[in-house]
Amino acid sequence: MLKLDLAKWNQTPEDLRVEALMAAHARTRERFLALYELTQQGHGITAVARGTTHHAQTLMRWVHWYNDAGPEGLVFQHTGGLTPFFCQVKEQALDALLRAGLAAAAAPTVDKDLETGRLAPSRALDQHTAPPRWTLKRLVTWIGTQFGHQISRETLRQALKRLGFSWKKAKALLNRATTAAREAFVVQLQALLARTLKDEPPLIVYVDEAHIHQEADLGYGWAPVGERLWVGSHTPGLSAKVSFYGLYFYNHGQVAIWDFPRGNTDHTLTVLHRLRECEPTREIVLSWDGASYHRAGAVVALAAELAITLLPLPSYSPDFMPVEALWRWLREDVTYHHCHATAEELITRVRDFAKTINLEPFAIADRLWTRTSLDPEEEKLRIPC
């Protein structure tokens, strides 16, 4: 009967178990563990094979390898197969191509003239010649032209993942935002947030407006393979919309969404009155963007009369407005794949949405994350003043 010759290599069954635990490759671990089990069962190879997923001939072959070459004979060695297309040089070329495209997409297309203050086409545009967007189809074509070799999209996708890339939707970077103004706002905001941790903290409220259409928004969803994902629409038109004022009560992790025919000075005054009615005596700090009706004299005067401190966002800085995330959330849950028959139906569903999410303040705080710092690399892409 074929037996494992441990004495030949000065090993014990425990050594086999240790070799399995220390092996770098899964197949090597599998072989050592199989032989370790063989030493523990006290039966022949055929009997041991019946209780495992291994064929008896496979176990016999591993025993022969061990007896002939010792532990080294069980170490898995990769043999055969096609030589991988992507070597280090090709991956570096692919990485450089994509990063050049990203730089071209993010670079400002205009500069500010220091004498006139006007915007003019950027003189640095000639430096960014790479296409700003590459799809898998275009990259496969580029590789065929560059290296004379055709590869599948899946091979390319795996290489992109190894390089640390992922397919994502682009987000606009507003180059005209002024870094100095943004830095000053961050200082103010951090001091304000520090006050919320003390006794009698101010109530911080973010306010933003959105025009929500009755027409359905189209997004991704599950559907049978080979069939279209249809969304019914009676084509209500662009004028069929409702304006909403969204309020995020930072201290409480709560939101309010108030509907109005449109966003203007009169309705903004109403929002201030309703906000003060919600908190009759508490200090309120309200932050919003620079819309014309936010800067109207009547609005500023009423805010002062109601003892509401206004903290305007810096220009071209929607990343400091957490209510923007509320609108994305609302579209996901309310307007995606649903065309509203009437404005009243839209208003009702928006109210139900607000009531539902207010039951989970931690989820609101997580999704309406408030930015409190700047990314130096991102700020380098702003247009110099």
Side-chain angles (χ1 to χ4, degrees):
M1 183 176 67
L2 182 63
K3 291 186 177 180
L4 201 62
D5 194 355
L6 293 173
K8 180 179 179 180
W9 305 104
N10 296 319
Q11 285 197 311
T12 65
E14 181 62 21
D15 292 328
L16 295 178
R17 192 181 73 85
V18 173
E19 293 278 5
L21 294 174
M22 301 298 292
H25 197 281
R27 293 190 183 181
T28 304
R29 293 194 293 272
E30 176 186 37
R31 294 169 183 177
F32 277 109
L33 281 176
L35 296 192
Y36 173 73
E37 291 177 5
L38 185 62
T39 64
Q40 300 301 302
Q41 295 292 338
H43 301 291
I45 291 178
T46 303
V48 172
R50 292 196 192 101
T52 66
T53 59
H54 305 298
H55 194 275
Q57 292 292 334
T58 301
L59 290 178
M60 290 181 186
R61 186 165 59 251
W62 291 348
V63 171
H64 280 297
W65 289 353
Y66 180 84
N67 289 343
D68 292 341
E72 292 297 325
L74 296 181
V75 176
F76 174 76
Q77 300 290 337
H78 180 78
T79 59
L82 298 175
T83 302
F85 169 73
F86 278 104
C87 60
Q88 184 176 3
V89 173
K90 292 175 181 176
E91 287 194 350
Q92 287 177 349
L94 180 61
D95 183 86
L97 178 74
L98 292 176
R99 292 190 184 279
L102 293 174
T109 55
V110 295
D111 287 328
K112 182 177 288 187
D113 190 301
L114 297 180
E115 296 181 357
T116 65
R118 296 180 180 178
L119 296 179
S122 174
R123 294 182 295 274
L125 284 178
D126 294 339
Q127 301 175 10
H128 300 288
T129 57
R133 182 173 182 266
W134 287 96
T135 61
L136 286 178
K137 183 177 181 180
R138 291 177 179 175
L139 285 172
V140 167
T141 302
W142 177 81
I143 289 172
T145 303
Q146 190 78 6
F147 301 108
H149 194 97
Q150 293 297 318
I151 64 172
S152 69
R153 297 186 186 183
E154 183 57 34
T155 299
L156 177 59
R157 183 182 288 109
Q158 292 176 4
L160 292 172
K161 289 183 177 180
R162 286 197 301 272
L163 290 171
F165 289 95
S166 64
W167 183 257
K168 59 185 66 175
K169 186 176 181 180
K171 184 177 181 179
L173 175 68
L174 304 185
N175 302 117
R176 295 181 64 180
T178 305
T179 298
R182 290 165 59 83
E183 290 175 342
F185 178 80
V186 166
V187 172
Q188 286 183 285
L189 181 61
Q190 291 177 344
L192 179 61
L193 295 180
R195 291 182 57 200
T196 63
L197 304 177
K198 299 179 180 179
D199 296 334
E200 298 184 0
L203 175 63
I204 302 175
V205 183
Y206 290 90
V207 177
D208 192 42
E209 299 82 33
H211 309 293
I212 308 299
H213 294 265
Q214 292 176 216
E215 180 62 280
D217 286 318
L218 302 181
Y220 291 93
W222 293 104
V225 175
E227 297 182 17
R228 285 198 178 276
L229 175 56
W230 294 111
V231 176
S233 171
H234 64 277
T235 319
L238 295 178
S239 60
K241 62 183 179 182
V242 179
S243 295
F244 292 95
Y245 281 70
L247 294 84
Y248 172 42
F249 298 90
Y250 174 85
N251 307 57
H252 306 318
Q254 296 286 281
V255 301
I257 305 178
W258 298 335
D259 58 279
F260 291 92
R262 65 187 60 83
N264 58 23
T265 300
D266 290 338
H267 295 141
T268 303
L269 296 174
T270 302
V271 168
L272 293 179
H273 280 295
R274 291 179 64 176
L275 179 58
R276 179 45 79 189
E277 290 172 0
C278 293
E279 294 287 346
T281 60
R282 189 171 183 179
E283 178 187 358
I284 298 176
V285 178
L286 187 152
S287 185
W288 54 18
D289 59 27
S292 58
Y293 42 84
H294 292 167
R295 295 179 283 109
V299 172
V300 175
L302 180 61
E305 179 183 336
L306 296 176
I308 297 177
T309 303
L310 299 180
L311 180 63
L313 299 181
S315 301
Y316 304 104
S317 298
D319 50 330
F320 285 117
M321 175 50 68
V323 182
E324 295 284 354
L326 175 64
W327 301 135
R328 291 192 293 270
W329 193 355
L330 183 147
R331 287 186 167 87
E332 291 174 6
D333 286 14
V334 177
T335 64
Y336 268 26
H337 300 182
H338 182 79
C339 182
H340 294 83
T342 63
E344 289 72 21
E345 181 198 5
L346 174 59
I347 293 171
T348 300
R349 295 191 70 224
V350 169
R351 289 174 178 171
D352 291 341
F353 163 77
K355 188 182 301 183
T356 300
I357 67 173
N358 276 333
L359 298 175
E360 302 183 48
F362 290 108
I364 292 177
D366 184 53
R367 295 196 61 157
L368 275 63
W369 174 78
T370 303
R371 182 169 192 172
T372 59
S373 61
L374 297 181
D375 181 355
E377 294 301 318
E378 180 182 317
E379 296 308 310
K380 291 179 183 178
L381 301 173
R382 310 291 180 188
I383 300 174
C385 296

